[in-house]
Amino acid sequence: MAVIPVAIAGAPYEVRIEAGVLARAGEHCRPFIRKNHVLVITDHNVAAKWRQTATESFASVGIRSEWLVLPAGESTKSWDHLAQVIDWLLDQEVERKDKIIALGGGVIGDLTGFAASIVKRGCGFIQIPTTLLAQVDSSVGGKTAINTRAGKNLVGAFHQPALVLADPLALNTLPLRDVRAGYAEVVKYGLIDNAAFFEWCEANGAKLLAGDQAAREYAIAHSVAAKARIVAADEKETAGVRALLNLGHTFGHALEAETGFSERLLHGEGVALGMVLAARFSARQGLMTGQDAERVAAHIGTVGLPASLPALALNCDGRRLADHMLHDKKMDAGTLPFLLMRGIGQTFLATDTDLNEIAAFLDEELART
Ligand code: GLY
């Protein structure tokens, strides 16, 4: 088992990564649970696959589990479902020192974490992420949120879990498209500050996506360790360090907005193409070599993720995509910080990027043949 400490001041915790850890959730959670019952929040898809396993695991250590099973999908990260979760937690007489279990992907983790942060002014929670994206990114670091009509993740809180259990076996029951979308966030850690890990991705990405367990465990542990270092250095994203985790997200978010935050483009797919665009824009600005930018595009494309704008068959121009960025929650007094690259593994935060330049660049990318 890989155990990655997340050294947040005042709220340290561990991420435990191992094949089969979900079936042993009871014994891992037992020390965190003071009662003989626990509250579990999940969605219908995850419940169909894992409810019985988790229930039996909790029962094996004398814990009865009470379940709230929500609809699967991004639309569950809403005010209405937040209210449903809160009412249910209060009906169940949740107490501040309890640890609610979030069993599922990013939607369940973000919604449960946010509910935990506000119910009774804050109680504890444990993340058991079941998607690659949640295992390598959203379950670690304490960002929680819901979506509102103004956009995604605009209402939320920083609220750290007490424990994270990541089981690579959970990925075996997911559609390949979902695993691939999560893999974009794995590649991100190489591009941010670790060229050797990007090389590992080039050599092992296809194997990982084909189901190789050792490659999956290595990638999850490496990614979580990278994320843990970053969030320990800058928990609330105020020191320009955690912002590095947003590589590819500003372009990606604009693409998600243009495609209606729909199945047309999954978040991880938007991030994948966003990282390619960040690399190509960096090359256009003379910051990194065109050769390095195309190396990024080649790896993203080789593993089957979108690597160029025409692949999305959009019906818009660069200005329209750039305008989506004006609603980005990272806007700061009229400027939008961008994550750009000086090379593979050399991402930095640029604060002087001109959105007109971005729009012109996106027009060129839309016309790419
Ligand atoms: N997913 C970006 C972050 O946790 O900061």
Side-chain angles (χ1 to χ4, degrees), residues 137-138 140-141 143 185 188 227 231 237 242 245-246 249:
D137 183 34
S138 61
V140 180
K143 277 191 181 174
E185 301 276 1
K188 184 183 79 176
K227 180 153 189 184
V231 297
E237 205 169 307
R242 186 165 183 163
L245 295 171
N246 296 325
H249 283 60

